[in-house]
Amino acid sequence: ISGVSAGAEKLWMGQTHVAPGVKSGDHHHGEAETAIYVVSGNPAFVFADGDKEVRLATKPGDYIFVPPYVPHREENPGESEAVVVIARSSQEGIVVNLDSLWPDQMP
């Protein structure tokens, strides 16, 4: 669901398939809010919380919320493909790549 496919103005929604063993780089999505629904598999979502890393292990049926500007990464540590549905409050594919979950520690 997007501006192009459905005329949405403030919402983008789509499905992502993540192969076993795949990790995204550390990043955030700017001002966009992101909601994730786990359809299948057991993806993990890793966030920076102060100076510690917080890992959220998931299962089918779980929901994850990623607030604006929050550094995170997605991982699929499982042995099977993970499928997630993503809804984002922006038509733009904002991805700000980071060298670290802790941007203030970047060189």
Side-chain angles (χ1 to χ4, degrees):
I1 296 173
S2 68
V4 172
S5 70
E9 294 181 16
K10 298 179 182 176
L11 177 72
W12 177 91
M13 188 173 191
Q15 187 177 76
T16 300
H17 296 247
V18 184
V22 170
K23 294 180 182 182
S24 74
D26 297 333
H27 64 281
H28 67 73
H29 299 288
E31 64 187 22
E33 293 182 322
T34 303
I36 302 163
Y37 174 74
V38 180
V39 176
S40 64
N42 297 100
F45 299 88
V46 183
F47 296 88
D49 183 13
D51 61 351
K52 64 182 173 182
E53 190 174 276
V54 175
R55 176 179 298 275
L56 300 177
T58 66
K59 63 186 180 316
D62 285 348
Y63 291 88
I64 300 292
F65 175 66
V66 183
Y69 299 101
V70 170
H72 65 283
R73 73 175 170 268
E74 300 90 16
E75 301 180 356
N76 182 5
E79 295 181 10
S80 62
E81 177 181 73
V83 178
V84 298
V85 171
I86 301 169
R88 195 164 287 137
S89 65
S90 171
Q91 287 295 300
E92 298 190 31
I94 303 168
V95 177
V96 178
N97 292 310
L98 306 170
D99 290 334
S100 166
L101 285 180
W102 298 271
D104 58 335
Q105 295 180 9
M106 291 190 293

